[in-house]
Amino acid sequence: MPKPKKITLIATTAMGLESIVAKEVKALGYEDVTVENGRVRYEADVAAIPRSNLWLRSADRVKLVIGEFEAKTFDNLFEQTKALPWEDYIPEDGSVPVIGKSVKSTLYSVRDCQSIVKKAIVERMRKMYGLASRIEESGPEHKVEIAIHKDQALLTLDTSGAGLHKRGYRTGQGEAPLKETMAAALVQLTNWHPNEPFVDPFCGSGTIPIEAALIGQNIAPGFNREFASESWDFIPYSLWEKAFNEAEEAANYDQELNITGLDVDGRMIETAKANAIEAGLGDLISWKQMQVKDFKPKEKNGYVVGNPPYGERLGDKEEVEQMYKDFGVIMRDHPSWSVYVITSNEKFEKLYGLPATKRRKLYNGYIKIDYYQYFGKKER
């Protein structure tokens, strides 16, 4: 099986996080980067597949581009898919499930597109591997996606497997958990440094403090999990070993951290503790059961990053709005602290009592949210 030298990768991302993911990709040393809607495309070598999966904190998945072309007829889709060198990537016993999506395109039946792509790949592989009948599909999974947008077909292989937000540390979660990828982005959008105090007063199952600790000690977010492409023949396993060794050496376990997670619910605090232990952070993070109105920062120049309840459920609204007010009153007494809050509640600034220094529009799943950013005045 010949090994491709140069490849094109796409890191998919939630809307609004593209620039964060692009920065992460460049930090890995890949310079040829293009930012598109909901994704970041970059040229790299095969070693980028293990490295990207291990290190990208805010991307959803890493996909390998196999081909792109215009497809307005099923014949066209079949022939151009069949013309691609699938045998360079998939062994003769490879399992090839096909998923798909179609937006604003002539070929709008996703099911038909999927079956045509599957048929074309199978025909190509039978020809190239000299197989008399169907392919076995008893080997490692190589999930193909056919995505057609305005008649432009994009064929990719999913190198990640489970979404990258699945870090492998979540033992339990709250009612509306924040994705780990989003939590990492929220931390990276601040100016926090690992030697400064960091508090999440609404920590739930602990996702934001845990992601902050992984960032603070430069621990690769994918260190505790497996990836679909670990078992692919065209990526030498030595590249995976090298990537894991690089991550081990890059981690700064000696970095002291001052990270605290607070929540009004004692059960959530127990869940957060268990998640932090599972993430290999032991007791690096302080966890406390506490109401927001009892939060009194004792240090200067700290950072608050939080995802408070949005108050969208009936009966919660007044309680949540009072909490925003209490929180604003407390933080006004601590002007050296920077405050970052993500919420879909459009009255947040009014309730908090101050206009934000900066606002950024993001999406938490399908909910449009704002990231309110208040920059503290550092005290020496």
Side-chain angles (χ1 to χ4, degrees):
M1 215 162 109
K3 301 208 173 6
K5 301 274 189 293
K6 278 283 170 199
I7 56 172
T8 300
L9 294 175
I10 287 175
T12 61
T13 154
M15 298 291 273
L17 300 186
E18 297 90 345
S19 61
I20 298 285
V21 172
K23 208 170 165 185
E24 292 181 26
V25 167
K26 287 175 184 168
L28 288 173
Y30 307 115
E31 290 300 321
D32 197 352
V33 178
T34 312
V35 177
E36 300 170 4
N37 265 347
R39 63 190 189 192
V40 174
R41 181 188 289 256
Y42 53 109
E43 309 297 318
D45 52 9
V46 175
I49 294 175
R51 294 184 71 232
S52 300
N53 276 297
L54 264 177
W55 281 105
L56 294 182
R57 296 183 190 277
S58 301
D60 290 331
R61 286 175 190 280
V62 177
K63 296 177 179 180
L64 169 62
V65 176
I66 307 297
E68 292 174 273
F69 47 82
E70 187 179 70
K72 287 185 176 177
T73 68
F74 288 134
D75 278 350
N76 210 234
L77 178 62
F78 180 83
E79 291 302 336
Q80 295 198 74
T81 299
K82 196 175 131 187
L84 294 167
W86 294 99
E87 68 283 356
D88 288 1
Y89 305 96
I90 306 172
E92 65 179 88
D93 67 344
S95 159
V96 191
V98 180
I99 60 167
K101 60 184 179 192
S102 174
V103 179
K104 297 178 182 166
S105 297
T106 314
L107 302 179
Y108 59 84
S109 166
V110 173
R111 188 182 284 180
D112 288 340
C113 291
Q114 283 170 223
S115 66
I116 283 162
V117 164
K118 172 81 179 202
K119 200 173 158 195
I121 295 170
V122 168
E123 206 158 302
R124 169 81 186 199
M125 286 172 65
R126 276 179 52 198
K127 182 182 165 201
M128 300 311 286
Y129 286 120
L131 304 171
S133 60
R134 63 186 182 83
I135 59 172
E136 277 296 319
E137 297 206 53
S138 56
E141 182 173 278
H142 295 65
K143 188 186 275 182
V144 174
E145 182 183 58
I146 168 68
I148 310 181
H149 183 255
K150 293 183 179 170
D151 296 329
Q152 288 299 312
L154 171 67
L155 283 158
T156 56
L157 279 173
D158 176 9
T159 74
S160 301
L164 294 181
H165 69 282
K166 293 196 169 156
R167 315 280 207 222
Y169 65 67
R170 207 187 263 285
T171 62
Q173 60 189 41
E175 281 179 20
L178 191 70
K179 267 191 178 174
E180 292 80 347
T181 41
M182 173 65 80
L186 298 183
V187 176
Q188 292 184 93
L189 283 165
T190 73
N191 296 317
W192 173 70
H193 292 99
N195 56 342
E196 296 170 315
F198 183 104
V199 180
D200 177 357
F202 326 92
C203 75
S205 58
T207 311
I208 292 174
I210 290 170
E211 291 297 323
L214 295 178
I215 289 167
Q217 290 198 336
N218 200 34
I219 297 168
F223 202 69
N224 280 328
R225 58 159 284 175
E226 293 175 344
F227 303 95
S229 50
E230 277 181 74
S231 54
W232 292 1
D233 288 356
F234 86 88
I235 307 171
Y237 198 73
S238 59
L239 294 181
W240 283 100
E241 287 173 335
K242 197 174 166 194
F244 274 101
N245 289 339
E246 176 194 19
E248 184 63 57
E249 283 166 24
N252 182 6
Y253 299 118
D254 296 331
Q255 172 66 54
E256 288 185 13
L257 299 171
N258 180 357
I259 298 176
T260 306
L262 311 172
D263 202 275
V264 69
D265 186 343
R267 290 165 308 176
M268 282 286 94
I269 291 295
E270 290 311 310
T271 300
K273 278 183 189 169
N275 286 343
I277 287 165
E278 197 62 31
L281 299 168
D283 52 8
L284 257 182
I285 301 169
S286 305
W287 305 101
K288 284 184 196 134
Q289 182 181 358
M290 187 188 284
Q291 291 187 56
V292 171
K293 64 182 180 192
D294 297 328
F295 171 51
K296 300 281 186 286
K298 292 182 176 65
E299 299 147 301
K300 292 175 182 172
N301 305 333
Y303 283 76
V304 168
V305 180
N307 173 37
Y310 301 165
E312 287 178 335
R313 286 192 313 202
L314 276 163
D316 289 354
K317 195 170 176 231
E318 283 173 23
E319 201 179 320
V320 166
E321 290 189 350
Q322 188 56 50
M323 183 177 69
Y324 290 172
K325 286 176 187 171
D326 294 342
F327 183 41
V329 169
I330 290 162
M331 295 319 297
R332 278 201 288 285
D333 287 340
H334 299 276
S336 74
W337 279 64
S338 293
V339 177
Y340 295 78
V341 172
I342 186 172
T343 177
S344 66
N345 190 315
E346 290 177 357
K347 292 199 292 190
F348 178 78
E349 287 169 302
K350 192 179 171 196
L351 294 162
Y352 185 80
L354 278 176
T357 319
K358 243 174 120 176
R359 269 169 66 173
R360 190 181 181 114
K361 281 196 177 2
L362 300 171
Y363 283 85
N364 185 9
Y366 291 105
I367 303 173
K368 186 169 84 66
I369 44 181
D370 279 294
Y371 195 30
Y372 295 95
Q373 303 165 54
Y374 294 87
F375 301 162
K377 291 185 174 66
K378 292 265 167 89
E379 291 178 24
R380 298 218 175 268

